[in-house]
Amino acid sequence: MKLDRLDQIGILYIDTERNNAINDEFIRDAHRLMDETEADPAIRALVVTSSHRSIFCPGVDLPSLMGRSGTEMRNFYQALTGIVRRKVAYPKPEVYALNGHTVAGGCMMALAGDCRLMASGRATFGLMEIDVGLAAPIGVVEMLQHFFGGRVAERVLFSGERFSPEGALALGLVDEVLEPERLMDRALEKARLLAGKPSGGYRRLKSYVRKSLAERMRSLDDAHLDQLVEQWFSQETQHLVTAAVQRMKRPAAA
Amino acid sequence: MKLDRLDQIGILYIDTERNNAINDEFIRDAHRLMDETEADPAIRALVVTSSHRSIFCPGVDLPSLMGRSGTEMRNFYQALTGIVRRKVAYPKPEVYALNGHTVAGGCMMALAGDCRLMASGRATFGLMEIDVGLAAPIGVVEMLQHFFGGRVAERVLFSGERFSPEGALALGLVDEVLEPERLMDRALEKARLLAGKPSGGYRRLKSYVRKSLAERMRSLDDAHLDQLVEQWFSQETQHLVTAAVQRMKRPAAA
Amino acid sequence: MKLDRLDQIGILYIDTERNNAINDEFIRDAHRLMDETEADPAIRALVVTSSHRSIFCPGVDLPSLMGRSGTEMRNFYQALTGIVRRKVAYPKPEVYALNGHTVAGGCMMALAGDCRLMASGRATFGLMEIDVGLAAPIGVVEMLQHFFGGRVAERVLFSGERFSPEGALALGLVDEVLEPERLMDRALEKARLLAGKPSGGYRRLKSYVRKSLAERMRSLDDAHLDQLVEQWFSQETQHLVTAAVQRMKRPAAA
């Protein structure tokens, strides 16, 4: 990951060797950059985007998790739900410029932002954990229900649908869909608008809408951590995850 | 009521002598069929529809309730709110194929499903309890607020409006509106999609979105049961209910 | 403020020397008229509108607050959040006919109504407290989240956007947008519809959707009252509020 600065805006490019899939290193880097940008008074808002041609973030790096022990999976899930909760409670404005596929864990993070803009085209947006037998972490379910209501949460979660940018817009999951070449300009415009708000007021306002949500998420996530690990090691899920990893190793068809 | 099977899908036809109005027998049959379908591993999803030409479910069978004692009404309300809560917590996917009027108690049950498809045409969808002086059970109010937010809940409840299929779609109360001849095919398609999800994962996911809702509903319903009974026997409501029952006895105008 | 009566409808015209800005007198008058209309059985529903040509309510009367002590500001904030909570819990139907700008505190009150109709044209609708460094009272944040979900609440609050009538309609913040000359007729029609509901049932139903909301608002407002006052006296906010008051004193450009 790389941090650029443009006036008072920090631009965070997700850019990893694993096509932006979330693994230990991804989470470590994300925390490091959030520490840096949160502490730096010269940065008043963030834009988060990706350097990849067609992927914003494809979710968890499944191959990196194969063969892990129960304790290791427990640690990974704590880290994964922790980064989402940190984004929920991040005190500065965070604008997502979704320039490619935004799915599973990548979608969870983007949903925690203050605002989501997405490029029109073939990229998809969705939470498809269910298709490998994984219920989304309960804290993420709570976040979806809080932001969009229980019904939209269910439409997103039950079907595991990959929404088009327009489909995501229709449900309110993203705020605007733009031509790809307009995406970054509009994201910077939004970030400047929010960066221009009185920072003490914004920080307080954001804590009003997010603090109790982040606390509910932590308490639910903690209470269900054993279930997440148990689910990972269930026969159903191990079978589906192994098959998914096998598919990734095959060269993609044209 | 009748249960058909098509591969892994159970198709439940509501079909009663009382034009599908909800009475003791309706509730008993509904529980029996939910027991059966829940226990049977060969059924992975349900489609719920009606055999009636123009009515899915018209709500409570008012004539069957006339002259009941306080204890009897208390029992009936417990059974009525209980069937809605059971549907909220039902662990398998339930797709509603609404082929006719879906009102009052019928609407409450359909809203508890995982997905609602409605036939275009003259059928209506709504909660009009208010027009006979009855507030909807508080658990149903909670369910509406949870799924659609407080504002949509109020639009539905305050006016007692009978929404057209398109009006219900615009508020998100139903998910799709289809030509009547396409309704069942699409419902089966949806049910197959959900039946195809890993069942352990789906069960867990559904409990994440529904378990605490069902618990809140039970606790609210229990605390307000006396109010429901008191309201039923209020002068205002008895007057309106009696008039409604009189109107039902008259032959319908052309 | 002035109360007219038309059959069973009370029509409340906001009409003050300070262009309908909310100050101590406004709040006192509002309580007095709510006392009167709540107690009078001949009034079954309210329409709230304004006598001003282009302003429904512009929010708090900032000049009236300059130079107040901490205790005085504490009292004012208690009164301001109190009038919003009272409207949330007001037992009779309240229809807002928004015939002009409806912003900040004016918007908070309108959002507490049972239904909002807005005249098309140049009037705006929004909560722009953030632009003078003020987070909206946390009870109002809770109300927005309850009615519209967390995401719409954030869109309204973070940006401080002044929505057009059509923009407010698209987010569900208002229920209908009408030609100005049609506004009052339609508001009366809506009020008559709601006035025609059985009053015991309506009162109970409204308490089901509003009572626990009003209680959560009170408990949050009480817990955050010191923060509101502290925020008012912060350097950031005093600077912005003083500048805003200066701008008001200048003659408006053409």
Side-chain angles (χ1 to χ4, degrees):
Chain A
M1 294 189 205
K2 199 182 63 165
L3 178 67
D4 268 8
R5 284 149 192 271
L6 189 63
D7 306 322
Q8 297 185 305
I9 313 298
I11 309 177
L12 203 151
Y13 292 94
I14 307 181
D15 176 17
T16 83
E17 287 176 14
R18 303 280 304 152
N19 287 332
N20 295 348
I22 302 170
N23 53 27
D24 298 323
E25 194 191 342
F26 181 111
I27 293 172
R28 210 161 38 231
D29 278 8
H31 276 297
R32 182 177 50 75
L33 286 167
M34 293 183 91
D35 288 341
E36 181 181 336
T37 54
E38 191 174 334
D40 185 345
I43 292 182
R44 290 178 61 108
L46 284 185
V47 169
V48 185
T49 192
S50 136
S51 303
H52 194 284
R53 193 175 45 85
S54 61
I55 296 171
F56 173 74
C57 174
V60 161
D61 185 355
L62 285 180
S64 81
L65 299 180
M66 303 312 286
R68 291 211 182 173
S69 71
T71 305
E72 287 167 335
M73 281 309 297
R74 197 180 160 88
N75 291 343
F76 179 74
Y77 271 129
Q78 265 184 319
L80 177 68
T81 58
I83 192 79
V84 176
R85 291 194 306 266
R86 178 160 186 193
K87 282 186 170 288
V88 167
Y90 185 74
K92 297 181 182 180
E94 213 189 17
V95 175
Y96 279 78
L98 305 172
N99 61 318
H101 293 297
T102 304
V103 291
C107 190
M108 294 177 201
M109 286 193 304
L111 286 168
D114 296 37
C115 172
R116 276 161 297 288
L117 313 179
M118 192 166 184
S120 58
R122 307 181 56 165
T124 55
F125 186 98
L127 289 160
M128 311 94 55
E129 282 80 356
I130 188 62
D131 286 327
V132 284
L134 294 164
I138 195 166
V140 168
V141 172
E142 177 73 15
M143 177 177 73
L144 274 165
Q145 291 177 335
H146 171 82
F147 281 145
F148 307 105
R151 183 56 202 137
V152 167
E154 294 187 355
R155 286 182 70 164
V156 171
L157 293 167
F158 285 168
S159 68
E161 189 172 343
R162 290 168 165 270
F163 294 96
S164 67
E166 292 72 24
L169 182 69
L171 290 179
L173 303 170
V174 303
D175 300 301
E176 296 180 29
V177 173
L178 298 131
E179 294 296 311
E181 58 275 17
R182 279 275 301 130
L183 180 67
M184 202 58 195
D185 280 355
R186 179 65 180 142
L188 286 168
E189 191 182 335
K190 268 286 193 193
R192 276 190 207 101
L193 173 81
L194 298 178
K197 301 294 172 191
S199 61
Y202 197 91
R203 183 179 294 259
R204 180 157 287 160
L205 181 57
K206 192 161 174 183
S207 84
Y208 284 178
V209 290
R210 298 291 183 91
K211 190 161 168 254
S212 69
L213 170 63
E215 284 165 4
R216 289 199 309 279
M217 289 173 69
R218 169 180 291 275
S219 132
L220 287 165
D221 281 335
D222 285 353
H224 290 75
L225 183 57
D226 288 341
Q227 272 194 21
L228 266 185
V229 176
E230 181 195 303
Q231 175 184 267
W232 174 262
F233 288 106
S234 73
Q235 215 182 337
E236 180 181 84
T237 299
Q238 281 298 307
H239 176 76
L240 291 160
V241 165
T242 304
V245 170
Q246 291 301 330
R247 280 195 304 277
M248 288 179 201
K249 288 184 180 159
R250 265 183 262 143
Chain B
M1 293 191 205
K2 197 182 63 164
L3 179 67
D4 268 8
R5 284 151 192 268
L6 189 63
D7 307 321
Q8 297 185 305
I9 313 298
I11 308 178
L12 205 150
Y13 292 93
I14 307 182
D15 175 17
T16 84
E17 287 176 14
R18 303 280 305 151
N19 287 333
N20 296 348
I22 302 171
N23 53 27
D24 298 323
E25 195 192 342
F26 181 110
I27 293 172
R28 210 162 37 232
D29 280 6
H31 276 297
R32 183 177 50 74
L33 287 167
M34 293 182 90
D35 288 341
E36 180 181 337
T37 54
E38 191 174 334
D40 185 346
I43 292 183
R44 290 179 60 108
L46 285 186
V47 169
V48 186
T49 191
S50 137
S51 303
H52 194 285
R53 192 176 47 85
S54 61
I55 295 172
F56 172 75
C57 174
V60 161
D61 185 355
L62 284 181
S64 81
L65 299 179
M66 302 314 284
R68 293 212 181 172
S69 71
T71 305
E72 287 167 335
M73 281 309 297
R74 197 180 160 86
N75 290 343
F76 178 75
Y77 271 131
Q78 264 183 321
L80 177 68
T81 58
I83 192 79
V84 177
R85 291 194 307 265
R86 177 161 187 193
K87 283 186 170 286
V88 166
Y90 185 74
K92 297 181 182 181
E94 214 189 16
V95 174
Y96 279 78
L98 305 171
N99 60 320
H101 294 297
T102 303
V103 292
C107 190
M108 293 178 201
M109 287 194 303
L111 287 168
D114 296 38
C115 173
R116 278 161 296 289
L117 313 179
M118 191 165 185
S120 59
R122 305 181 59 166
T124 54
F125 185 99
L127 290 160
M128 310 94 54
E129 282 79 356
I130 188 63
D131 286 327
V132 284
L134 293 165
I138 195 167
V140 168
V141 173
E142 177 72 14
M143 177 176 72
L144 274 165
Q145 292 177 334
H146 171 83
F147 281 145
F148 307 105
R151 183 55 201 137
V152 168
E154 294 187 355
R155 286 183 69 163
V156 171
L157 293 166
F158 286 168
S159 67
E161 189 172 344
R162 289 168 166 270
F163 294 95
S164 67
E166 292 71 24
L169 182 68
L171 290 180
L173 303 170
V174 303
D175 300 301
E176 296 180 31
V177 173
L178 298 129
E179 293 296 312
E181 58 274 18
R182 279 275 300 130
L183 180 68
M184 203 58 194
D185 280 354
R186 178 65 180 142
L188 286 168
E189 190 182 337
K190 267 285 193 193
R192 278 191 206 101
L193 173 80
L194 298 179
K197 301 294 172 189
S199 61
Y202 197 91
R203 184 179 293 261
R204 180 156 287 160
L205 181 58
K206 191 161 175 184
S207 85
Y208 283 178
V209 289
R210 297 292 183 90
K211 191 162 167 254
S212 68
L213 170 63
E215 284 164 3
R216 289 199 309 278
M217 289 171 70
R218 169 179 290 276
S219 132
L220 286 165
D221 281 336
D222 286 353
H224 290 75
L225 182 58
D226 288 341
Q227 271 194 21
L228 266 185
V229 176
E230 180 194 304
Q231 175 183 266
W232 173 261
F233 288 106
S234 73
Q235 215 181 338
E236 180 181 84
T237 299
Q238 280 298 307
H239 176 77
L240 290 160
V241 165
T242 305
V245 170
Q246 291 301 332
R247 279 194 305 275
M248 288 178 201
K249 289 182 181 160
R250 264 182 264 143
Chain C
M1 294 191 205
K2 198 183 61 168
L3 179 68
D4 268 8
R5 284 151 192 271
L6 189 63
D7 308 322
Q8 297 185 305
I9 313 297
I11 309 177
L12 204 149
Y13 292 94
I14 307 181
D15 175 19
T16 84
E17 287 176 15
R18 304 279 305 150
N19 287 332
N20 296 348
I22 303 170
N23 53 28
D24 297 323
E25 195 190 341
F26 181 111
I27 293 172
R28 209 161 39 232
D29 279 8
H31 276 297
R32 183 177 50 75
L33 287 166
M34 293 183 90
D35 288 341
E36 181 181 337
T37 55
E38 192 173 333
D40 185 345
I43 292 183
R44 289 178 61 108
L46 284 186
V47 169
V48 185
T49 190
S50 137
S51 303
H52 194 284
R53 191 176 47 84
S54 60
I55 296 172
F56 172 75
C57 174
V60 161
D61 185 356
L62 284 180
S64 82
L65 299 179
M66 303 313 285
R68 292 211 181 172
S69 71
T71 305
E72 287 167 336
M73 281 309 297
R74 197 180 161 87
N75 291 343
F76 178 75
Y77 272 129
Q78 265 183 321
L80 177 67
T81 58
I83 192 79
V84 177
R85 291 195 306 267
R86 177 161 187 193
K87 283 185 169 287
V88 167
Y90 185 75
K92 296 181 182 180
E94 213 190 17
V95 175
Y96 279 78
L98 305 171
N99 60 321
H101 293 298
T102 303
V103 291
C107 190
M108 295 178 200
M109 287 194 303
L111 286 168
D114 295 37
C115 172
R116 278 161 296 290
L117 313 179
M118 192 165 184
S120 58
R122 305 182 57 167
T124 54
F125 186 99
L127 290 160
M128 311 94 55
E129 283 79 356
I130 187 61
D131 286 327
V132 284
L134 293 165
I138 195 166
V140 168
V141 173
E142 178 72 14
M143 177 176 73
L144 275 165
Q145 291 177 335
H146 171 82
F147 282 145
F148 307 105
R151 183 55 201 137
V152 168
E154 294 188 355
R155 285 183 69 163
V156 171
L157 293 166
F158 285 168
S159 69
E161 189 172 343
R162 289 168 166 270
F163 294 96
S164 68
E166 291 73 23
L169 182 68
L171 290 179
L173 303 170
V174 304
D175 300 301
E176 296 181 29
V177 173
L178 299 130
E179 293 296 312
E181 57 276 17
R182 280 274 301 129
L183 180 67
M184 203 58 196
D185 280 355
R186 177 67 180 141
L188 286 168
E189 191 182 336
K190 267 286 194 192
R192 276 191 207 101
L193 172 81
L194 298 179
K197 302 293 171 190
S199 62
Y202 197 92
R203 184 180 293 261
R204 182 157 285 161
L205 181 57
K206 190 160 176 185
S207 84
Y208 283 177
V209 290
R210 298 292 184 90
K211 189 161 167 255
S212 69
L213 170 63
E215 284 164 3
R216 289 200 308 279
M217 288 172 70
R218 170 181 289 277
S219 132
L220 286 166
D221 281 336
D222 286 353
H224 290 76
L225 182 58
D226 289 341
Q227 271 194 23
L228 266 185
V229 176
E230 180 195 303
Q231 174 184 266
W232 173 262
F233 288 106
S234 73
Q235 215 181 337
E236 181 180 84
T237 299
Q238 280 299 306
H239 176 77
L240 291 159
V241 165
T242 305
V245 170
Q246 290 301 329
R247 279 195 305 276
M248 289 178 200
K249 289 182 180 161
R250 264 182 264 143

